[in-house]
Amino acid sequence: MSTPKLHTSIEYLKGVGPSRAEILQQELGIRTWKDMLYHFPFRYIDKTLVGSITDAVATGEPTQFKAIVTKMSVSKGRYKKRLNATLFDGKSTLTAVWFQGVKWVSEKLEVNKEYLFYGTVKKTKSGSSFAHPEFELYNPNALNDKRMEPVYSSTDLLTRMHLESKFKRRVIKQILSKIDSNDVVDPLGKYYTDYFKLIPHVKAVYYMHFPQSEEQLEQARARMIFEDLFFLQLGIVFNQTTRKQKLKGAIFESVGEKFMKYFDEKIPFELTGAQKRVMKEIRRDLGSGIQMNRLLQGDVGSGKTMVGLLTMLLAVDNGFQACMMAPTEILAHQHYISITEEMKGMGVNVGFLSGSIKGKKRKEILQLLKDGVIHILLGTHALIEDWVVFKNLGIAIIDEQHRFGVAQRAALWNKTSEVAPHILVMTATPIPRTLALTAYGDLDVSTIDELPPGRKPITTRHIYDTKRSDLNTFIETEIEKGRQIYIVYPLIEENDKLDLSNLEMGYERLLQRFPRPKFQISIVHGKLKASDKESEMQRFVRGETQIMLATTVIEVGVNVPNASVMVIENAERFGLSQLHQLRGRVGRGADKSFCILVSKYNLTANGKKRLKTMVRTQDGFEIAEVDLELRGPGNIEGTQQSGVVAMRVANILRDSEMLNYTRDHTVKILSEDPQLQLPKNAPLLHYLKTHNMISKNWGRIS
Ligand code: ADP
Ligand code: MG
């Protein structure tokens, strides 16, 4: 949205030059006038306020004061020169030091002249230090228009090179004086600027840098936040609308015999209201003739697998095959066992495929799949390998989305030649609905926000690791009641040697406290062979061991109803959603269940909040909100691809109301004019095009 002028390099501006331009590019990615112009301040300071040296020393905050330079000297340190300047403000003295740009500063600064200094006095071992302050000659007349001086983010290098706020202000002022509204085209166009009662774009850019009042800044921010969110939504909704027009999907017309039979004869319970609602949403998609691309989010144990199974039966009833992928072999196999059992006498053939199925066995399964004999295939991501060919795959279900990359999902599209299979992604890491719509881009979102009735709450406690003997006593009483216990250690990849030795130490300690043969312990971690992992798991599943000691491999989906205690070691090292997932492993049987979070004594504020939240609530959505608050939206699954992190001023959490507002309006605009062909929409289309926001490949997901 800009003329060639805005694409000139900042190099040629006064006071910049090639080497500074390069540093700015390297440190902040700023190369052109445009980059510089959209590098907005993160706060503003009132520079009409002139404090004193005493203030600066007492507060330790960035302070401006007026002082005379009484003495200057350059001393040669062991490696480097440094410049000391003694400052006197009429009451106190303070020494300012420069280690970098000594020559530059000593040329600018003169003894006996009065300057405004701006900087932070830091406490050090030997007293205090006032290093690299900004300074300018004191001019009482210049003070008045400095009520809101912009402050820009900086880096160490930029600070050392004197390329911080003061420098940027000068550069940006130059750019602004050289351009007008013909150079910066309003991305929304006049029609929408008026319609949404916003100030013009260029004006907003100007006010972002140099507001004359709070009100101007407010108007500028409102405009920028609106733009960020509006275009984010416009891109998402545009692509979604187009995809729906272009991508045909198999039609599952009838609710057939198998679905009904399973429903009537096999399910021993009523679907929850949320499950019914979600089934309706899915059925609507599947009957529409358009390819479904849906995310199903719901807490651990909310009954997503049930919804997945019913959906697969719809496919089978309509003459299609279905597959469901799980992120681990253990979980995939557990699905296979339970679904095979459920399908007994139903005339539905269930198959299993994973990396460990090899040779003749694999060949046989592949043949049955190709011939259409296998109706439902369960497995790991082996399912998406090229050599897996279906006769007519109608739907692919991906369980526990967060372990599957976008590319892996996309690979499913090559599985059928005619129409793309429907896709249902299930995740137990729910995120707030508004954010989900944005973060998952062109996935539609269904939410199960209700647990099946009769779930007993899990009692969650946080203890310090100094209380280990109490914990062991508790574990022993639970084992005596016939219960089983999980004990989980964190596994963080960068540090997995240390983690493993933690686990091994924990194992030794447990063996001493819970000796064989009275007690039996399974141990499972990522370094074990798949077959060993499986057999250790199975010993626990069969109840032969009372304790399962594991790294986070058990995180996803294992179902052992008799396990009623989840102990999480080093709990402070887990993220909230992971803690919540782990806790979801217990509370599945009839018994009272417990989750014990064990941590060290010294916790960060963030760590404390996570553990507190876990103790306070069991609601996955509430936990997701706190998680989002603690980690910021940029770290949420999916958001990286969607541009949430690229926003200039908006913050998707803080501005969620505006997010909804812009979403509603983009939906309206695009339902009236799906391809943005109306004159008033021309600027919008232009924006999407010039920002590469139009998805070219309809064969790819999110
Ligand atoms: P999720 O996959 O969402 O974690 P599951 O589908 O594994 O949850 O369901 C957890 C347990 O709840 C399973 O044992 C399942 O049979 C049971 N379940 C599912 N739906 C219902 C329901 N409507 N009423 C009672 N139990 C249910
Ligand atoms: Mg599940």
Side-chain angles (χ1 to χ4, degrees), residues 402-599:
H402 62 291
R403 298 272 170 117
F404 264 95
V406 175
Q408 288 172 311
R409 269 187 269 156
L412 277 167
W413 292 64
N414 307 325
K415 294 273 155 230
T416 49
S417 48
E418 290 151 42
V419 289
H422 296 294
I423 289 181
L424 182 66
V425 177
M426 305 200 292
T427 176
T429 315
I431 60 180
R433 201 184 173 85
T434 48
L435 185 58
L437 288 172
T438 303
Y440 294 108
D442 63 355
L443 291 173
D444 290 307
V445 179
S446 287
T447 302
I448 302 187
D449 50 7
E450 183 186 350
L451 290 179
R455 288 282 153 85
K456 295 214 180 74
I458 301 165
T459 305
T460 303
R461 293 265 150 73
H462 168 212
I463 64 166
Y464 294 115
D465 53 11
T466 46
K467 296 276 178 189
R468 194 169 293 285
S469 62
D470 295 355
L471 173 62
N472 285 334
T473 311
F474 171 72
I475 290 176
E476 187 166 2
T477 28
E478 287 302 302
I479 292 176
E480 269 158 14
K481 286 189 211 155
R483 303 281 94 69
Q484 286 168 286
I485 321 285
Y486 292 110
I487 302 179
V488 182
Y489 279 80
L491 187 89
I492 292 161
E493 273 156 50
E494 304 94 73
N495 207 357
D496 61 356
K497 267 217 187 95
L498 182 68
D499 287 330
L500 203 58
S501 82
N502 264 345
L503 178 84
E504 275 159 3
M505 250 168 56
Y507 186 50
E508 291 302 317
R509 208 167 45 208
L510 270 179
L511 282 176
Q512 282 179 13
R513 177 64 177 72
F514 298 97
R516 295 186 189 116
K518 187 173 175 211
F519 300 98
Q520 295 291 333
I521 305 174
S522 289
I523 175 164
V524 180
H525 55 79
K527 290 274 174 336
L528 287 183
K529 276 200 310 219
S531 55
D532 291 345
K533 243 188 265 179
E534 181 65 25
S535 78
E536 284 289 292
M537 291 287 303
Q538 286 310 328
R539 291 207 306 145
F540 188 70
V541 172
R542 287 193 300 265
E544 292 164 19
T545 59
Q546 298 99 338
I547 298 178
M548 173 143 102
L549 190 64
T551 53
T552 40
V553 288
I554 63 152
E555 184 189 341
V556 233
V558 194
N559 198 5
V560 181
N562 190 48
S564 63
V565 180
M566 168 65 68
V567 178
I568 305 177
E569 294 279 353
N570 299 123
E572 75 278 6
R573 289 178 55 195
F574 288 90
L576 258 179
S577 77
Q578 230 182 347
L579 289 171
H580 181 59
Q581 291 286 311
L582 285 169
R583 179 168 57 185
R585 297 302 116 217
V586 295
R588 304 194 153 205
D591 291 279
K592 183 144 187 43
S593 301
F594 301 88
C595 173
I596 316 290
L597 308 166
V598 186
S599 82

Side-chain angles (χ1 to χ4, degrees), residues 177-188:
S177 72
K178 290 176 200 288
I179 58 169
D180 58 32
S181 56
N182 293 319
D183 296 307
V184 191
V185 182
D186 195 322
L188 283 169

Side-chain angles (χ1 to χ4, degrees), residues 630-677:
L630 291 176
R631 292 197 302 153
N635 290 315
I636 301 305
E637 296 295 330
T639 55
Q640 252 75 17
Q641 297 112 255
S642 69
V644 174
V645 283
M647 292 189 299
R648 293 191 282 232
V649 185
N651 171 320
I652 208 158
L653 293 182
R654 185 194 60 204
D655 304 319
S656 64
E657 238 170 83
M658 184 58 96
L659 183 73
N660 289 333
Y661 178 77
T662 54
R663 183 162 187 103
D664 292 347
H665 279 281
T666 49
V667 168
K668 220 168 103 194
I669 291 168
L670 286 161
S671 63
E672 184 195 33
D673 180 16
Q675 293 301 308
L676 299 173
Q677 299 300 309

